Amino acid sequence: MKQWLTLSTLGLLALPTYAELGRAGLSGEISVNAGYSSSSSNLDTGDNEVITSLNQEASSDGGFLLAPLGSLAYTFGQGNNQQLYVGTSREDIAVGTLAFELGYKYQLGSGMILDLSVLPTVMSGEAWKDPYQTNIVRQETDVDGTAYRFKISNVAGLPITLDLAYADKDVEQDELVGTDLARDGNTLHSKVQFRVPLSRGLMLMPSVSYRKHDADGNANSYSQLGGELSLFSQLGNHQLVLTGGYANREYDAGAQIFSYQKRDENDISLFGAYEYGQLMGWSNVSFIMLAGYGKTSSNLDFYDSSQYIVSTGLNFKF
């Protein structure tokens, strides 16, 4: 899974609107989905405990899932111009991004929205102590980190969103410390997104992004340039979001175990989400479906990976 480009386990979607932050007081929603997901990566701890070569193709690890997701917000202030929130935003999930946030929004008189948040879990997880060990059972270790995000919507009154983030990463028992592949580091991420209305209920949303990751090991430090294109459609109770993305990632140096050959990787992602509102006449219940696919192609076979997910479920607003 990639930070800021993750195939979410749930889908909540809506055409983006920025007229106001929401109704006064407490509001929220929760969604429960069931589905199937699968991933293939030599770096994932879910499978591939033993590898025999640094050139071998990763095996797939898949399974059924059942998971809840939601958000809770408290809106207050003059004209409902301030909001405290926790959870995952609809705008993020609609394009395939899963990021749990604790944040605060403030809407200026011009309509511009300032959004400051902390993402305490997006960098955390598990990793192999030494992913490059062969013919031996690899051991796991914990990965800790925190991300901080600053987002500006309706920049200068224009349909533009600026999304900035900083994150740190710490591998607790990193057996690669002191090598060219040491993994502790920090990341700067920036993204500019544009909203292009095509007609009533139809909108294009292109974006460009840049990411710089500085790791303790030069062979794990990189620069990435990418772009996404989303199509939002709403017709009656039907809402559909389709998103395609591409990114190229170039590493600063090559690692000794790969004969100092620099990594060069390309990511592609496809994501679709559908929602049918007012299910069976209930105004606060909707039916949701999603499907996503992501693939990383590297010039070093060890780093090739892929993942996909399909799921369906119900969303409840309150």
Side-chain angles (χ1 to χ4, degrees):
M1 297 295 190
K2 304 292 184 183
Q3 292 85 14
W4 295 294
L5 187 60
T6 306
L7 300 182
S8 122
T9 55
L10 300 179
L12 307 169
L13 56 140
L15 282 169
T17 56
Y18 300 92
E20 59 181 19
L21 297 182
R23 70 175 188 268
L26 200 63
S27 62
E29 56 191 327
I30 186 170
S31 179
V32 179
N33 266 28
Y36 183 85
S37 65
S38 177
S39 66
S40 172
S41 171
N42 282 319
L43 298 177
D44 283 352
T45 57
D47 202 356
N48 305 303
E49 288 186 344
V50 178
I51 58 174
T52 58
S53 166
L54 295 182
N55 295 316
Q56 79 174 52
E57 182 179 347
S59 60
S60 297
D61 174 37
F64 290 94
L65 59 90
L66 178 64
L69 190 69
S71 62
L72 186 65
Y74 179 72
T75 306
F76 60 101
Q78 185 176 9
N80 299 333
N81 67 333
Q82 298 183 68
Q83 186 179 85
L84 298 170
Y85 65 90
V86 58
T88 306
S89 73
R90 277 180 163 252
E91 290 81 8
D92 281 347
I93 300 176
V95 295
T97 301
L98 178 61
F100 179 82
E101 295 181 88
L102 300 165
Y104 168 77
K105 293 181 182 180
Y106 183 86
Q107 186 173 35
L108 303 176
S110 63
M112 188 163 64
I113 299 174
L114 308 179
D115 186 349
L116 183 63
S117 63
V118 178
L119 295 80
T121 63
V122 72
M123 298 299 291
S124 301
E126 295 180 336
W128 298 119
K129 290 182 181 180
D130 184 350
Y132 309 101
Q133 288 182 315
T134 57
N135 300 308
I136 190 173
V137 176
R138 297 183 292 179
Q139 302 298 313
E140 297 179 10
T141 187
D142 292 330
V143 180
D144 296 321
T146 304
Y148 307 89
R149 188 180 192 184
F150 180 55
K151 189 175 178 181
I152 307 174
S153 303
N154 294 338
V155 177
L158 300 174
I160 298 173
T161 298
L162 177 62
D163 198 348
L164 305 172
Y166 169 83
D168 59 74
K169 177 181 179 180
D170 176 32
V171 182
E172 290 189 0
Q173 300 179 48
D174 193 353
E175 295 190 355
L176 305 177
V177 170
T179 76
D180 49 17
L181 286 167
R183 291 168 286 182
D184 289 357
N186 56 73
T187 304
L188 288 172
H189 180 85
S190 59
K191 179 178 178 180
V192 180
Q193 192 175 63
F194 308 88
R195 302 190 304 278
V196 184
L198 300 178
S199 63
R200 182 177 178 85
L202 190 64
M203 179 186 297
L204 276 179
M205 188 174 289
S207 67
V208 292
S209 63
Y210 175 78
R211 186 182 305 169
K212 178 63 177 175
H213 179 68
D214 291 317
D216 289 351
N218 289 336
N220 266 330
S221 300
Y222 64 83
S223 298
Q224 175 180 302
L225 183 64
E228 290 180 350
L229 181 63
S230 297
L231 175 66
F232 291 76
S233 176
Q234 181 172 10
L235 179 62
N237 293 337
H238 302 275
Q239 298 183 69
L240 177 68
V241 184
L242 300 174
T243 299
Y246 171 82
N248 174 258
R249 189 163 46 256
E250 296 183 353
Y251 286 77
D252 294 353
Q256 182 180 9
I257 62 173
F258 293 107
S259 302
Y260 295 104
Q261 184 178 4
K262 289 185 180 181
R263 288 166 65 183
D264 187 280
E265 298 176 343
N266 296 303
D267 292 342
I268 61 169
S269 60
L270 301 171
F271 188 83
Y274 168 78
E275 180 175 16
Y276 180 80
Q278 299 187 29
L279 183 65
M280 299 179 65
W282 297 327
S283 60
N284 62 336
V285 180
S286 58
F287 170 77
I288 49 180
M289 295 180 62
L290 69 84
Y293 172 78
K295 181 177 178 62
T296 296
S297 299
S298 175
N299 61 325
L300 301 176
D301 293 342
F302 179 84
Y303 294 105
D304 286 346
S305 65
S306 63
Q307 58 273 331
Y308 71 86
I309 182 173
V310 291
S311 68
T312 184
L314 297 176
N315 184 59
F316 305 89
K317 295 181 182 179
F318 56 91

